[in-house]
Amino acid sequence: MADIALPEVKLNLYNVKSPIQVKVVENRIVTKESSPNIVRHLVFDVSGTQLEGNVIAGQSVGVLTPGEDQNGKPHKLRLYSMASPSRGEGGQSHLISTTVKRTIEEIDGKLYTGVASNYLCDLQPGDPVLLTGPSGRRFLLPEDANAYQYLFFATGTGVAPFRGMIQDLDLSKTSATLAFGCAYRTDVLYADEFDPLARDQASFHFLKAISREDRRADGSKAYVHTLLEDAPEAVRKQVAAKNTLIYICGLKGMEWGIYKTLLQQGHSSYFDPKNDEGVAWLKSVASGAAKITEEDFKTYVKPGPRLFEEVY
Ligand code: FAD
């Protein structure tokens, strides 16, 4: 396949030394009331700033939390993916949105709350917030987006960029699958948007793997990568199609299960060998002779041009 042309994007119109102050216009919870997790959808009004019209789906903005860390230094920048489409939240170019999970941890009986995520989740409409960005130049839809098909894999807030990308696509011209993984059914994000879309558009599939609740036919747990094994025929055809691009976003480590399953299913064209040994390894994987280990994978191959990944 010829190189996939990505759009030219604006980068770092604002940085840590010269951030831009914008206002929160909406902050709503998107996990169900009974969920042990809290994820919120935040919308910022960026009117009159250079962010207006210049942050596209797949890019992120940086958030500067007021105050200092335990060393007396300003809090470091944290990145948050845009959840809005490139034309802006609800088609309004002055609005951009993101999806934030409150990070909370208890270690040896002591509670640690993440700095930026809790700051963001506490903000009220009308509150100011300092942003930088945009950032990100590869995790984007191609320039000729409707010439490709899409398989989007998300865990948790990793769904944010796909919400925007799916709204950017013309589903009458192309097809897309969103494979979403989370622990509990109460944590399926934006199901109120994706479920009706999947019902109304034959070209869109929404697959869910609820790891602590769903069981597969053999009784094993469902994860985002097992959705590939259990995929309906239409999605299997999509994975095999030469013009399909795979995007992965969410928890670090999620990519390996997807890569392994793709290789097991014979889709080695998503990977590029690093050297001659890599070519040989891919051949022996195809013939079933090689055991697919993460170590060998890292030694011999890398994601090819049809794979896009943003994990954190
Ligand atoms: P931090 O303060 O950085 O803490 C991190 C974790 O450590 C927390 O769980 C906290 O409870 C724990 N902790 C804090 N102090 C201690 C301590 N002393 N000892 C032990 N544990 C401690 N996140 C999203 O929610 N949505 C997004 O769309 C999103 N997009 C991203 C895009 C990119 C490209 C990248 C790189 C990251 C993205 N992230 C996103 C992650 C985000 O940037 C933050 O890393 C995340 O929100 C946690 O930041 P925090 O400041 O809240 O937590």
Side-chain angles (χ1 to χ4, degrees):
M1 170 181 278
D3 266 0
I4 297 161
L6 298 177
E8 287 284 322
V9 287
K10 295 283 190 322
L11 291 169
N12 303 316
L13 295 168
Y14 300 101
N15 57 37
V16 175
K17 286 200 177 126
S18 60
I20 185 72
Q21 182 173 298
V22 303
K23 275 210 161 80
V24 175
V25 291
E26 189 185 337
N27 183 349
R28 67 179 157 90
I29 198 157
V30 284
T31 36
K32 294 254 170 13
E33 210 176 307
S34 53
S35 171
N37 299 304
I38 297 164
V39 179
R40 303 191 69 96
H41 180 76
L42 274 97
V43 183
F44 305 113
D45 184 344
V46 297
S47 0
T49 79
Q50 288 190 70
L51 293 181
E52 185 167 352
N54 284 325
V55 197
I56 73 166
Q59 288 192 296
S60 315
V61 292
V63 170
L64 292 171
T65 308
E68 295 172 343
D69 63 20
Q70 66 242 38
N71 302 318
K73 300 242 168 74
H75 287 301
K76 288 207 175 74
L77 176 96
R78 266 72 161 184
L79 292 175
Y80 292 89
S81 305
M82 289 298 86
S84 36
S86 303
R87 60 184 182 280
E89 179 80 358
Q92 301 188 74
S93 66
H94 67 286
L95 299 179
I96 59 172
S97 67
T98 185
T99 316
V100 183
K101 177 175 182 188
R102 270 190 200 275
T103 60
I104 301 170
E105 261 173 72
E106 192 194 284
I107 301 170
D108 296 333
K110 197 163 182 274
L111 181 69
Y112 296 100
T113 50
V115 170
S117 61
N118 284 280
Y119 162 68
L120 284 170
C121 287
D122 285 343
L123 290 173
Q124 300 292 319
D127 282 346
V129 55
L130 288 177
L131 299 184
T132 69
S135 65
R137 61 165 85 225
R138 172 145 206 280
F139 196 77
L140 306 168
L141 289 180
E143 212 158 39
D144 190 5
N146 296 318
Y148 300 89
Q149 303 182 67
Y150 298 90
L151 204 44
F152 299 119
F153 287 94
T155 48
T157 55
V159 75
F162 302 142
R163 177 180 181 265
M165 288 178 181
I166 289 163
Q167 290 184 45
D168 277 3
L169 291 174
D170 181 346
L171 290 169
S172 70
K173 296 196 175 123
T174 183
S175 69
T177 295
L178 172 61
F180 180 84
C182 62
Y184 301 102
R185 204 163 299 283
T186 49
D187 296 352
V188 179
L189 305 176
Y190 303 116
D192 57 330
E193 299 177 15
F194 297 128
D195 278 333
L197 187 64
R199 200 179 49 229
D200 299 342
Q201 287 276 358
S203 55
F204 178 68
H205 297 271
F206 183 28
L207 311 178
K208 296 164 219 168
I210 317 290
S211 62
R212 300 207 187 154
E213 296 186 38
D214 287 351
R215 290 292 172 273
R216 302 172 65 212
D218 66 359
S220 63
K221 288 184 179 177
Y223 291 103
V224 74
H225 64 270
T226 64
L227 290 171
L228 265 178
E229 290 171 33
D230 303 335
E233 186 57 25
V235 176
R236 283 174 180 272
K237 278 197 185 140
Q238 209 182 26
V239 188
K242 296 256 179 315
N243 70 336
T244 293
L245 309 181
I246 294 184
Y247 289 66
I248 300 171
C249 189
L251 294 177
K252 204 173 263 172
M254 69 179 281
E255 66 279 20
W256 168 238
I258 297 168
Y259 293 166
K260 188 174 178 183
T261 311
L262 285 171
L263 285 169
Q264 282 167 339
Q265 295 184 333
H267 303 301
S268 59
S269 62
Y270 285 101
F271 305 94
D272 278 351
K274 284 185 178 168
N275 46 36
D276 289 348
E277 287 169 310
V279 176
W281 186 74
L282 281 175
K283 270 194 194 138
S284 59
V285 163
S287 70
K291 193 163 171 267
I292 308 167
T293 66
E294 191 167 4
E295 202 185 333
D296 283 351
F297 176 88
K298 283 185 180 151
T299 309
Y300 298 129
V301 296
K302 58 182 184 208
R306 292 199 291 148
L307 271 177
F308 299 78
E309 171 191 310
E310 187 150 275
V311 288
Y312 48 83

